[in-house]
């Protein structure tokens, strides 16, 4: 496992305002790393610094051990898939894809060979003569990816590439992208605000908030062992219990709901059901805790359980000690 | 809106259109009238047009007009396009200042621009002629070019240029293969517009023309001051025809450009 | 490389500096100079040219010019607004054709357009010949070379300036606001007065400024259609430069004209800014 990109004490300011405070990050060769966070968290700025469209205010970026801070974007051995694809409107699909090779004056036989390869890989062979305006959103997205990967970049950067597509198409393309990454074996740095997307595709996720990487880890680590309150709240559903000067997080599926008189020794808290939402295989049970009006606990219960929970019912709740996560 | 109200509007609008076109049509019609002295229709003739082509002064004015229009439209389009490309890179604050400076020539009354150029040329002792005409026509053309090309550039956004750079295109390659083709319709439109404006200009030319740089509008003015004549009708008709032709060409280019963008993304 | 691109603006800016800003500066300087006996410029400072402007002759010409310009603006607005409204509300596929139809006369040389009216209105013109042949009149009507003819020519040449900006603001207007007004029980007239008209004010202001500024400096239309009696300030300026050869006085008059225009443009920007504040979130 070799580091391909190393960001060292990188900082970004816009007009004297710190957008990204100094941080360091090592990206491993061949991994699928996702920068995940709400809009305005600095993930796109970070990606644009790696691509070379923004200059870090301080710090250094290394690609394969070589500093690239002062290397202009067009000399960096990586490619970016733009959010709105940025396909060249006056060129055919083929010319769009060949653009990078033509700029680098690759011999035309080589150009042709790689074009055919990439067209097959992205299922665009039949559309090669079309103009971008004649393509659907999903097809345009594939052209954008083909146009990038034909250059055999060391790293592929993707800026919310599925953001403009509808839900079903996104689901399919997530799988396609993941497979593509596995087949090509190149490093993907993927920016998204969609946690489901991040969870299903990434080897590692960097959760960002206000310019800071809150946590870096595998999807499992991020989900099961969130290291900050932000991550615990941002990823999936969670119940947060405030203590004196710390917090406790318990996932809804780890919360057990008991009838008022059953297993009283396992009751950690008691309360009253305020709402039950049926979602097929599971039901969401919302419980207002005794003694604190505003704390609503969410529990996921199996729909096929013998007892059908009712709003207004008095219940006890509990969870196993190993399922609770202590947060600062 | 009720049906009767709508048809009232429709009738009204057609009346205004007739008001706009009737004088032009009548003028064109009378350029084919056989009678020299008055407005009685005495028969169809081409003779006024033929006499125009035999008239040495008219032909000189035409060639002056063309030389000045071609030269000034090319210079104005080049300078304006470069300025628009640069303007696009300035921060918003500076952009506003520069825009203000560049748009000023459009807003100032033309008389002022004409006489101030006359003052300039006479103060530095530069003889009035084709060169002063070209300089003047470039000056009022630049601003219009900046407006048109800037509109295309901001419509294009930064992403395409970034994408090209990302794919390894040097700044020059990016300009050559991406920026230039995308703004090309704007550049063509600018050329046509500045050409038309130069061909048509009277007020500014009136001040800076020398004895050997009489253009068609200036020649027509001289004739108009002497009164109505079928030759003027014919010459005016030719000018109208050329203007309409140029406008239609630029409209075709504009629609081509629009068609490319309007369906740039189909819904899936 | 991005910073190098900025240098591309230099040739254009230098050009405008030499051929636009320096000449304006020269005119300003000239307006404070004296005129020599033979029409040459004498380089000694004087305010005489500005004092001379207050001669009742020139004040009344400026007053006439303002009257003509204001009337032209109002008439163009009254004639142009309904047309713009009709175009903005018609089927999309016809809109561009109509707009083009409005713009074509605008691009035709206005010397030619004024001349077209001379062909129609002069003593042996189309109208008089026609009426005489019908026997309705025996003597030709004096249709040309009067105030009415100047107004006709002005409105005719400048009308498209008004239609285009108003069309643009009507086109950009959020139609839902009008629907909301109807929904709340406004009659069409009330909805127009309280919703459409205020929302299209930027277009009205732009169009009015364009027409006004163009008419205030106009000298061709009065020259061709108005004859000697209907001279406007533009004719006086032109005369000072080309016949009377009193450049300093001509310069002073143009500076006054320019200041008038600048004041108007300033007012225009203020109105627009007020408009934007009131407009809120669009």
């Amino acid at each position: 496992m070799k580091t391909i990109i190393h960001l060292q004490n990188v900082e970004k300011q816009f007009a004297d305002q710190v957008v990204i405070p100094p941080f360091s990050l090592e990206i491993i060769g061949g991994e699928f790393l996702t920068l995940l966070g709400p809009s305005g968290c600095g993930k796109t700025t970070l990606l644009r610094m790696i691509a070379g469209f923004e200059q870090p205010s301080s710090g250094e970026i290394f690609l394969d051990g070589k500093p690239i801070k002062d290397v202009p974007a067009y000399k960096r051995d990586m490619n970016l898939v733009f959010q709105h694809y940025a396909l060249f409107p006056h060129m055919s699909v083929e010319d769009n894809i060949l653009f990078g090779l033509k700029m680098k004056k690759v011999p035309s036989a080589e150009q042709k060979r790689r074009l055919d390869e990439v067209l097959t890989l992205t299922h665009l062979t039949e559309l090669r003569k079309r103009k971008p305006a004649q393509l659907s959103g999903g097809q345009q997205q594939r052209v954008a990816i083909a146009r990038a990967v034909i250059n055999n970049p060391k790293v592929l950067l993707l800026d919310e590439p599925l953001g403009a597509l509808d839900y079903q198409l996104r689901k399919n393309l997530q799988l396609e992208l993941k497979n593509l990454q596995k087949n090509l074996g190149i490093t993907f740095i993927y920016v998204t605000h969609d946690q489901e997307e991040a969870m299903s595709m990434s080897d590692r996720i960097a959760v960002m908030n206000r310019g800071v990487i809150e946590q870096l880890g595998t999807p499992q680590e991020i989900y099961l062992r969130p290291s900050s309150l932000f991550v615990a709240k941002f990823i999936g559903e969670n119940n947060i219990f405030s203590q004196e000067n710390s917090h406790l997080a318990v996932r809804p599926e780890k919360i057990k709901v008991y009838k008022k008189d059953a297993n009283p020794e396992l009751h950690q808290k008691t309360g009253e059901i305020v709402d039950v939402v049926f979602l097929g295989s599971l039901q969401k049970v919302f419980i207002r805790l005794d003694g604190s009006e505003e704390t609503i606990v969410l529990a996921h219960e199996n729909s096929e359980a013998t007892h059908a929970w009712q709003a207004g019912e008095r219940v006890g709740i509990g969870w196993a000690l190993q399922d609770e996560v202590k947060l600062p | 809106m009720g049906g009767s109200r709508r048809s009232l509007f429709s009738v009204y609008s057609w009346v205004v259109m007739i008001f706009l076109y009737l004088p032009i049509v009548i003028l064109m019609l009378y350029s084919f009238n056989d009678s020299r002295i008055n407005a009685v229709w005495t028969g169809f003739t081409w003779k006024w047009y033929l006499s125009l082509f035999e008239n040495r002064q008219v032909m000189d004015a035409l060639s002056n007009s063309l030389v000045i229009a071609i030269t000034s439209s090319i210079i104005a389009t080049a300078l304006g396009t470069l300025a628009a490309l640069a303007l696009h890179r300035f921060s918003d604050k500076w952009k506003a200042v520069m825009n203000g400076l560049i748009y000023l020539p459009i807003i100032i009354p033309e008389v002022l621009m004409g006489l101030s150029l006359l003052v300039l040329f006479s103060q530095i002792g530069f003889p009035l002629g084709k060169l002063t005409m070209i300089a003047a026509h470039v000056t009022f053309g630049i601003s219009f070019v900046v407006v048109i090309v800037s509109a295309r550039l901001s419509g294009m956004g930064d992403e395409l240029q970034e994408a090209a750079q990302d794919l390894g295109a040097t700044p020059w390659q990016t300009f050559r293969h991406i920026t230039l083709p995308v703004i090309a319709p704007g550049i063509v439109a600018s050329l046509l517009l500045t050409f038309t404006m130069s061909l048509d200009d009277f007020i500014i030319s009136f001040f800076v023309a020398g004895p050997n740089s009489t253009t068609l509008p200036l020649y027509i003015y001289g004739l108009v001051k002497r009164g109505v004549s079928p030759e003027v009708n014919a010459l005016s008709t030719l000018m109208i025809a050329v203007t309409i032709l140029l406008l239609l060409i630029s409209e075709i280019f504009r629609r081509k450009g629009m068609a490319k963008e309007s369906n740039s993304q189909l819904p899936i | 490389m991005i910073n190098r691109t900025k240098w591309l603006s230099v040739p254009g800016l230098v050009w405008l500096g030499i051929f636009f800003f320096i000449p304006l500066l020269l005119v300003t300087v000239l307006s404070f100079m004296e005129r020599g006996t033979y029409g040459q410029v004498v380089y000694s400072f004087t305010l005489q040219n500005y004092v001379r402007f207050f001669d009742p002759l020139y004040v009344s010409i400026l007053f006439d010019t303002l009257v003509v310009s204001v009337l032209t603006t109002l008439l163009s607005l009254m004639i142009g607004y309904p047309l713009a409204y009709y175009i903005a509300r018609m089927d999309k596929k016809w809109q561009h054709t109509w707009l083009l139809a409005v713009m074509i006369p605008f691009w035709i040389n206005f010397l030619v357009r004024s001349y077209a009216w001379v062909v129609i209105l002069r003593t042996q013109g189309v109208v008089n010949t026609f009426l005489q042949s019908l026997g309705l009149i025996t003597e030709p009507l004096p249709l040309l070379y009067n105030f009415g003819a100047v107004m006709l020519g002005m409105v005719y040449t400048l009308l498209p300036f008004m239609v285009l900006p108003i069309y643009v603001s009507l086109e950009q207007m959020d139609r839902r606001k009008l629907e909301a007004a109807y929904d709340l029980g406004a009659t069409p007239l009330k909805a127009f007065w309280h919703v459409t008209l205020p929302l299209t004010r930027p277009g009205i202001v732009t169009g009015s400024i364009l027409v006004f500024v163009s008419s205030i400096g106009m000298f061709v239309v009065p020259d061709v259609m108005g004859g000697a009696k209907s001279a406007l300030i533009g004719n006086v300026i032109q005369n000072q430069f080309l016949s009377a050869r009193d450049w300093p006085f001509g310069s002073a008059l143009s500076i006054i004209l320019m200041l008038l225009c600048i004041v108007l443009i300033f007012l225009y920007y203020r109105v627009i800014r007020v408009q934007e504040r009131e407009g809120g979130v669009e």
Side-chain angles (χ1 to χ4, degrees):
Chain A
M1 295 227 286
K2 193 169 134 276
T3 301
I4 181 122
I5 288 180
H6 182 192
L7 296 114
Q8 199 177 57
N9 298 322
V10 168
E11 183 185 15
K12 181 68 192 173
Q13 304 181 350
F14 281 121
D16 293 334
Q17 273 214 301
V18 179
V19 184
I20 299 180
F23 77 102
S24 293
L25 174 66
E26 287 189 25
I27 297 163
I28 300 157
E31 79 169 324
F32 195 124
L33 177 85
T34 298
L35 304 174
L36 173 66
S39 59
C41 73
K43 55 192 193 298
T44 296
T45 307
L46 175 50
L47 193 76
R48 288 172 61 83
M49 284 198 288
I50 299 174
F53 297 121
E54 304 282 357
Q55 270 279 71
S57 309
S58 65
E60 184 55 88
I61 301 172
F62 297 93
L63 174 65
D64 243 357
K66 288 185 223 54
I68 55 166
K69 191 175 127 182
D70 297 316
V71 177
Y74 62 92
K75 286 185 188 157
R76 295 192 185 189
D77 204 358
M78 47 183 132
N79 288 111
L80 175 59
V81 176
F82 287 80
Q83 192 171 7
H84 302 290
Y85 321 134
L87 300 182
F88 306 130
H90 56 295
M91 295 183 191
S92 65
V93 167
E94 205 171 78
D95 290 334
N96 261 284
I97 297 175
L98 282 174
F99 187 83
L101 300 184
K102 279 186 180 156
M103 292 303 111
K104 284 171 217 126
K105 305 204 165 59
V106 172
S108 57
E110 166 90 3
Q111 280 187 24
K112 204 190 159 309
R113 189 183 60 73
R114 273 156 77 176
L115 175 67
D116 288 337
E117 211 176 278
V118 169
L119 284 173
T120 318
L121 192 71
T122 49
H123 315 291
L124 286 168
T125 313
E126 266 124 65
L127 306 171
R128 60 197 291 172
K129 297 289 177 204
R130 293 221 194 150
K131 287 276 174 70
Q134 299 164 305
L135 301 177
S136 72
Q139 290 164 341
Q140 292 188 15
Q141 208 271 336
R142 291 214 296 271
V143 177
I145 287 171
R147 186 175 72 174
V149 298
I150 196 169
N151 304 295
N152 288 335
K154 287 182 180 151
V155 178
L156 190 65
L157 311 169
L158 302 102
D159 186 9
E160 307 225 12
L162 307 180
L165 305 174
D166 69 22
Y167 184 75
Q168 197 51 48
L169 196 60
R170 261 159 73 172
K171 288 266 146 208
N172 299 340
L173 282 169
Q174 281 172 21
L175 280 176
E176 260 186 54
L177 268 178
K178 180 70 193 160
N179 288 333
L180 188 74
Q181 192 257 344
K182 267 192 208 144
N183 294 339
L184 294 170
I186 46 181
T187 313
F188 273 36
I189 304 178
Y190 191 99
V191 160
T192 184
H193 64 268
D194 181 342
Q195 44 152 314
E196 216 180 301
E197 211 168 273
M199 291 298 222
S200 61
M201 298 162 82
S202 320
D203 295 321
R204 285 200 301 166
I205 298 174
V207 184
M208 290 186 71
N209 182 32
R210 294 183 199 177
V212 175
I213 296 181
E214 295 256 346
Q215 189 174 4
L216 176 65
T218 64
Q220 289 80 357
E221 283 166 2
I222 300 265
Y223 187 81
L224 297 173
R225 294 283 144 207
S227 64
S228 73
L229 188 60
F230 174 80
V231 177
K233 280 179 173 169
F234 187 71
I235 306 290
E237 289 175 309
N238 224 335
N239 294 299
I240 311 287
F241 300 100
S242 304
Q243 293 169 331
E244 285 100 74
N245 37 20
S246 67
H247 300 272
L248 209 62
V250 186
R251 293 283 175 195
E253 63 271 22
K254 304 294 183 193
I255 302 246
K256 301 265 181 298
V257 187
Y258 305 104
K259 285 185 201 163
K260 206 179 78 181
D261 41 1
N263 308 74
E265 70 282 6
L266 294 174
H267 292 193
Q268 297 192 12
K269 295 182 191 300
T270 56
E272 187 184 311
I273 296 179
V274 287
D275 204 357
V276 179
V277 178
F278 175 72
L279 287 173
S281 63
L282 66 82
Q283 50 186 344
K284 289 184 171 184
V285 184
F286 295 87
I287 301 139
R288 182 186 294 128
L289 292 189
D290 294 337
S292 60
E293 281 298 300
E294 64 272 23
T295 314
I296 306 280
V297 170
L298 169 63
H300 290 175
E301 288 284 292
N302 195 324
S303 291
E304 279 138 42
T306 42
H307 184 73
W309 300 104
Q310 300 282 339
E313 208 172 333
R314 297 233 10 112
V315 292
I317 59 166
W319 59 84
L321 209 56
Q322 73 264 24
D323 290 333
E324 63 179 45
V325 179
K326 286 204 171 56
L327 299 166
Chain B
M1 204 188 312
S4 63
R5 196 191 306 271
R6 188 177 287 265
S7 59
L8 193 72
F9 263 115
S10 164
V11 168
Y12 172 84
S13 301
W14 280 103
V15 169
V16 176
M17 275 300 171
I18 291 169
F19 168 66
L20 284 176
Y21 278 90
L22 196 65
I24 298 168
V25 172
I26 289 178
L27 171 66
M28 293 172 95
L29 216 61
Y30 274 90
S31 72
F32 298 103
N33 187 8
D34 200 31
S35 163
R36 166 169 278 280
I37 24 168
N38 55 31
V40 180
W41 184 267
T42 53
F44 181 88
T45 180
W46 284 106
K47 67 180 175 194
W48 310 120
Y49 287 91
L50 294 176
S51 84
L52 280 186
F53 290 113
E54 283 157 13
N55 185 333
R56 180 92 223 133
Q57 284 174 302
V58 172
M59 286 299 118
D60 282 348
L62 176 67
S63 103
N64 285 339
S65 277
L66 287 177
V67 168
I68 292 166
I70 290 171
T71 323
S72 66
S73 61
I74 290 173
I75 299 176
T77 303
L79 293 179
T81 304
L82 291 180
L85 284 168
L87 217 60
H88 195 61
R89 291 284 164 221
F90 280 95
S91 65
D92 287 345
K93 199 176 76 188
W94 277 105
K95 211 185 266 181
V97 174
M98 304 280 263
N99 275 335
L101 289 180
I102 285 172
Y103 295 168
L104 211 55
I106 300 181
I107 312 169
I108 287 291
E110 280 178 278
V111 196
L112 244 151
M113 200 173 184
L115 66 88
S116 66
L117 280 163
L118 172 62
V119 169
L120 173 79
F121 294 133
S122 76
Q123 290 298 304
I124 59 174
F126 199 92
L128 297 180
K130 285 201 194 71
L131 285 179
T132 54
M133 288 284 272
I134 291 169
H137 287 200
V138 170
T139 310
F140 66 67
I142 289 180
S143 307
F144 288 94
V145 178
V146 174
V147 174
I148 295 174
V149 177
S150 292
R152 284 225 57 108
L153 274 171
S154 60
M156 169 183 181
D158 294 333
E159 265 204 346
L160 290 184
Q161 294 172 31
E162 284 182 356
Q165 285 183 45
D166 182 72
L167 293 165
T170 61
W172 169 247
Q173 283 174 319
T174 304
F175 176 73
R176 165 80 189 68
H177 295 285
I178 306 303
T179 316
L180 197 57
V182 173
I183 64 170
I187 296 176
V188 175
S190 300
L191 266 174
L192 284 165
L193 181 78
T194 46
F195 182 82
T196 315
M197 288 199 314
S198 168
L199 215 54
D200 253 2
D201 179 71
F202 167 71
I203 297 182
I204 292 167
S205 308
F206 185 69
F207 286 94
V208 296
N212 297 319
S213 59
T214 301
T215 56
L216 280 179
L218 291 172
Y219 182 73
I220 292 179
Y221 179 74
L223 294 180
V224 166
K225 290 297 280 182
R226 268 184 268 152
V228 172
S229 75
E231 286 92 351
V232 190
N233 295 352
L235 198 52
S236 302
T237 303
L238 283 181
M239 289 217 31
I240 293 169
V242 170
T243 308
I244 292 177
L245 193 72
L246 285 168
L247 273 177
L248 288 179
I249 294 173
S250 70
E251 175 70 8
I252 288 166
F253 268 98
R254 202 184 60 82
R255 288 201 181 178
K256 253 190 180 167
M258 290 231 309
K260 245 183 227 161
E261 274 130 45
S262 60
N263 55 358
S264 64
Q265 203 174 340
L266 296 170
I268 306 298
Chain C
M1 98 108 207
I2 276 164
N3 285 326
R4 249 185 291 156
T5 314
K6 290 185 184 172
W7 289 101
L8 295 178
S9 62
V10 170
L13 289 176
V14 167
W15 186 287
L16 285 183
I18 295 175
F19 293 108
F20 183 72
F21 292 104
I22 290 179
L24 281 184
L25 208 70
L26 282 177
V27 171
T28 315
V29 172
L30 210 59
S31 73
F32 293 106
M33 297 293 125
E34 279 175 31
R35 174 187 187 262
T37 334
Y38 307 106
Q40 79 278 30
V41 177
V42 177
Y43 293 94
S44 66
F45 179 85
T46 177
L47 287 172
Q48 187 52 39
N49 301 310
Y50 289 94
V51 175
R52 194 173 150 205
F53 167 73
F54 290 98
D55 184 311
L57 173 68
Y58 298 113
V59 172
S60 85
I61 288 179
L62 184 71
F63 181 75
D64 285 351
T65 309
L66 285 174
V67 168
V68 168
S69 303
V70 168
L71 272 179
T72 305
T73 310
L74 285 178
L75 280 171
S76 303
L77 179 61
M78 279 155 56
I79 298 171
Y81 199 105
L83 178 63
Y85 190 88
Y86 177 69
I87 297 176
R89 291 286 173 276
M90 72 171 56
D91 203 336
K92 271 271 179 282
K93 72 176 177 209
W94 290 110
Q95 270 187 17
H96 276 291
T97 313
W98 270 77
L99 271 184
L100 191 65
V102 173
M103 290 316 288
I104 283 176
F106 168 71
W107 281 109
I108 292 170
N109 193 300
F110 60 90
L111 185 59
V112 169
R113 280 185 288 155
S114 312
Y115 171 72
W117 280 108
V118 177
V119 171
I120 296 170
L121 299 178
R122 73 191 170 116
T123 321
Q124 301 111 324
V126 177
V127 173
N128 276 322
T129 310
F130 182 67
L131 292 179
Q132 275 173 318
S133 73
L134 287 182
L136 287 173
I137 51 169
T138 48
E139 288 297 301
L141 297 170
L143 297 171
L144 214 52
Y145 309 123
N146 53 39
F147 180 75
V150 172
M151 285 308 303
L152 175 71
M154 292 286 235
V155 173
Y156 179 69
T157 42
L158 300 175
L159 182 62
F161 266 140
M162 186 65 87
V163 177
L164 204 68
I166 294 178
Y167 163 79
V168 170
S169 62
L170 276 165
E171 175 64 32
Q172 285 171 348
M173 191 183 110
D174 188 355
R175 205 78 61 90
R176 282 170 303 184
K177 287 186 177 150
L178 202 58
E179 281 161 14
Y182 286 135
D183 187 58
L184 295 168
T187 61
L189 202 64
K190 274 191 172 161
F192 175 78
W193 188 255
H194 292 290
V195 181
T196 310
L197 207 55
L199 283 176
T200 51
R201 208 161 62 196
I204 297 173
V205 172
T206 311
S208 304
I209 294 284
L210 284 175
V211 172
F212 190 86
V213 168
S214 305
S215 53
I216 208 169
M218 179 70 87
F219 71 89
V220 177
V221 172
D223 203 16
V224 174
M225 293 176 74
K229 286 170 292 176
S230 323
L232 298 183
I233 196 81
N235 302 73
V236 177
I237 293 175
Q238 176 218 357
N239 204 33
Q240 297 306 317
F241 273 89
L242 295 157
S243 330
R245 288 204 63 81
D246 191 346
W247 288 22
F249 182 52
S251 300
L253 287 178
S254 0
I255 295 295
I256 291 166
L257 191 69
M258 186 172 70
L259 290 177
L260 250 171
C261 289
I262 288 174
V263 167
L264 279 163
I265 290 158
F266 175 74
L267 282 176
Y268 155 76
Y269 275 118
R270 275 198 47 170
V271 172
I272 288 296
R273 219 176 298 149
V274 169
Q275 191 76 35
E276 274 170 359
R277 263 208 305 273
E278 285 171 1
V281 265
E282 283 281 308

